[in-house]
Amino acid sequence: VPPLPDGYTDGLRDVVALLLNKDPEARPTCAELLHHTTLKAFVGAFELVIAANNVVDDATAALIQRNLEEAKAPPPPITPPPPIADLLETESQQPPTQPSAPLTPPPAFAGWVRKESRKTSSWVRCYLRVEHGSLSLAADPADTTAKPLPLAAITAVRPVTDADAPVGTFALHLRNGAKVRIQAASHEACTVWVAKIERAMQPS
């Protein structure tokens, strides 16, 4: 990365360096950026501007505020794996003649999304998984208690272009007349999700 102009502060140089990391996995998330010392003051000032702005309508201002609050919220804790020593000890206790358990087939498609909550009028981060003829939304990838929704209960899956919907939103239209709105990470990711779910809905 070429050197930045002299007008950049040390804090801003640090933010730029984080965003331009060659490893995509090492780049910060939106929540991590909003917790960065350099950006905290700007976020606070931005919230004050939105609150006092007469140009932005109340619905848009409320949506911006909700998105900021969700982005600033810490991500759900990740359960650490067991120590290597425990894994080796468990493996050594297995009889040598015992056949290995069959591997669980990977899901057809899975990833983090946000689901609209009608009760709280907010968007909740969750893990969407499509596999074995069903679709499930859980708070964590390791959560197996989420009740799956059979794909047969879905009549259509379509991108949402409503003005009140965030970019990347698509909707699951259910046979009972209900509609579930889900937001992908981007417009492109939304297109992929729609295609994957539609393909999974097709009879094999």
Side-chain angles (χ1 to χ4, degrees), residues 20-39:
L20 296 183
N21 194 306
K22 292 182 179 180
D23 182 5
E25 297 298 326
R27 295 171 193 160
T29 63
C30 289
E32 290 169 340
L33 279 177
L34 293 180
H35 283 89
H36 193 282
T37 304
T38 301
L39 297 183

Side-chain angles (χ1 to χ4, degrees), residues 9-144:
T9 63
D10 292 340
L12 190 53
R13 290 173 187 272
D14 183 50
V15 172
V16 173
L18 291 171
L19 292 174
L20 296 183
N21 194 306
K22 292 182 179 180
D23 182 5
E25 297 298 326
R27 295 171 193 160
T29 63
C30 289
E32 290 169 340
L33 279 177
L34 293 180
H35 283 89
H36 193 282
T37 304
T38 301
L39 297 183
K40 275 187 176 181
F42 291 103
V43 173
F46 178 65
E47 290 177 315
L48 292 176
V49 169
I50 291 299
N53 197 318
N54 295 326
V55 177
V56 179
D57 60 85
D58 293 342
T60 303
L63 178 60
I64 292 173
Q65 186 63 38
R66 287 199 304 270
N67 288 340
L68 283 173
E69 290 174 356
E70 291 176 11
K72 290 188 294 184
I78 299 175
T79 304
I84 296 296
D86 292 351
L87 293 176
L88 294 176
E89 182 180 356
T90 301
E91 184 177 353
S92 65
Q93 294 173 355
Q94 298 293 333
T97 56
Q98 181 178 348
S100 58
L103 296 175
T104 302
F109 203 64
W112 287 105
V113 296
R114 296 201 308 165
K115 176 183 175 293
E116 182 183 32
S117 172
R118 296 286 186 179
K119 293 182 179 179
T120 60
S121 299
S122 62
W123 294 79
V124 181
R125 187 171 185 259
C126 54
Y127 195 75
L128 174 58
R129 190 189 306 268
V130 182
E131 62 179 345
H132 307 315
S134 65
L135 178 151
S136 62
L137 287 159
D140 187 89
D143 183 7
T144 58

